[in-house]
DNA sequence: ATTTCTGCAAACGATTTGCACAGGG
DNA sequence: CCCTGTGCAAATCGTTTGCAGAAAT
């Protein structure tokens, strides 16, 4: 019982983007649709350049400029989250629709990104924010860490949530 | 009883940097000393460009290139922490010597940066990291929030820890 | 028809780097 | 002296932007 009428995150995303556009007199174009389809075809994080490649696989006419112009739209409408993980390029995370409060651990050895979710952190952040006299809008925890397994054996079997490895 | 023989964070910093340099056959120069003095003369966060200006006030011969070449040294030796707060320029925090585990709240209205410390967060992050099979090396919480006072009255009286306001 | 979008290529801005000279040890 | 550090200016590289034509409504 999950074969026909299932709504994927991509579908949700497309709907959300369409209302977002509609609400401001913006137009629906093949390029924008290709970009959003590309963005939600994967659960991996990606850079603008990655997204360009993925979108071009769907619609070859997509240009770099359009990707850069569309990304802020997707972020504003809540479809993507921009991550500051400290690299030289900005990366984007398409998993916040499904898991709105998850956070990231970056392995300093494997460079992999592990996603995790923890209700206590969430709660604590809200308390702290209120105590300081603010209303929370966006919270992010970044943990940099060494992989224990890698330390012992020189390999790491953990799944990267970022690069499909 | 705090007039004469007090050791400021600057002094500590200078000592730490000197050992760091000594340990790798690197030299002590007027420029490096000026840069570190400038960095610890303030408790505010700063960009590379800010630091250049501050260092030049001490030693006019300091060049932009040397600032950029020295910053990684200060970060490696633990004197400064690099912050990814999402702006276009990297900013540096000189307060981790005194408060090794503090975190940051960024006000989306005033753009101010508030520092806070919370032992529960610290603890929780360690638990989570271990549970995932890692050993923590660096943890950072960034909270973006709206200032309640600003929402009500259109002004914000909070002290920015970043720009002395 | 009107207005928004697009691709292209040039512009930008923070950071990095090659080089020849300066200055620590 | 020898080798590291420096300033300068040019190079890099992700991202942004101006413009003229293409497409959506």
């Amino acid at each position: 019982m999950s074969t026909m009428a299932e709504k994927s995150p991509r579908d949700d995303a497309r709907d959300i983007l369409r209302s977002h556009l509609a609400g401001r007199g913006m137009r629906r174009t093949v390029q924008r649709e290709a970009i959003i389809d590309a963005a939600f075809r994967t659960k991996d994080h990606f850079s603008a350049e990655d997204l360009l490649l993925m979108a071009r696989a769907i619609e070859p006419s997509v240009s770099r400029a359009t990707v850069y112009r569309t990304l802020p739209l997707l972020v504003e409408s809540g479809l993507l989250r921009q991550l500051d993980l400290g690299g030289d390029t900005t990366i984007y995370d398409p998993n916040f629709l499904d898991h709105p409060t998850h956070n990231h651990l970056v392995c300093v050895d494997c460079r992999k990104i592990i996603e995790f979710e923890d209700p206590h952190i969430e709660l604590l952040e809200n308390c702290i924010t209120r105590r300081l006299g603010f209303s929370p809008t966006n919270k992010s925890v970044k943990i940099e860490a060494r992989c224990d397994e890698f330390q012992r054996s020189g390999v790491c079997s953990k799944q990267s949530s970022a690069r499909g490895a």
Side-chain angles (χ1 to χ4, degrees), chain A:
Chain A
M1 76 282 258
S2 77
T3 319
M4 252 189 64
E6 191 109 19
K7 219 175 179 204
S8 73
R10 289 135 232 96
D11 299 329
D12 293 344
R14 225 175 329 209
D15 290 349
I16 293 175
L17 181 63
R18 283 182 185 157
S19 345
H20 191 79
L21 295 176
R24 24 190 105 201
M26 302 178 91
R27 295 172 182 173
R28 196 135 75 78
T29 68
V30 284
Q31 289 88 348
R32 281 174 181 159
E33 301 260 332
I35 290 169
I36 194 175
D37 283 353
F40 287 93
R41 184 168 281 195
T42 174
K43 281 189 154 339
D44 294 346
H45 303 158
F46 50 79
S47 65
E49 193 66 21
D50 293 336
L51 185 54
L52 172 63
L53 263 34
M54 298 189 294
R56 275 185 171 161
I58 297 173
E59 168 56 53
S61 77
V62 173
S63 75
R64 182 169 288 106
T66 298
V67 169
Y68 275 105
R69 282 189 275 236
T70 304
L71 275 167
L73 246 45
L74 302 187
V75 172
E76 283 161 30
S77 58
L79 297 177
L80 292 181
R81 196 86 122 239
Q82 237 183 352
L83 299 186
D84 297 320
L85 294 184
D88 38 348
T89 82
T90 306
I91 72 173
Y92 296 86
D93 186 334
N95 302 328
F96 277 88
L97 271 188
D98 295 336
H99 299 280
T101 65
H102 77 265
N103 287 293
H104 299 91
L105 180 151
V106 183
C107 181
V108 299
D109 296 316
C110 5
R111 279 288 104 192
K112 281 182 192 160
I113 300 171
I114 314 283
E115 305 197 327
F116 67 90
E117 208 156 9
D118 185 299
H120 303 101
I121 285 253
E122 172 69 6
L123 210 55
L124 207 41
E125 288 172 322
N126 285 334
C127 289
I128 292 171
T129 307
R130 298 250 158 62
R131 193 194 311 150
L132 291 170
F134 288 81
S135 298
T137 60
N138 239 314
K139 290 149 289 177
S140 67
V141 177
K142 176 180 68 171
I143 298 180
E144 298 183 278
R146 313 204 86 87
C147 173
D148 293 342
E149 187 187 357
F150 187 88
Q151 291 307 306
R152 278 198 311 276
S153 59
V155 272
C156 169
S157 60
K158 296 188 179 60
Q159 289 296 317
S160 165
S161 70
R163 294 271 140 257

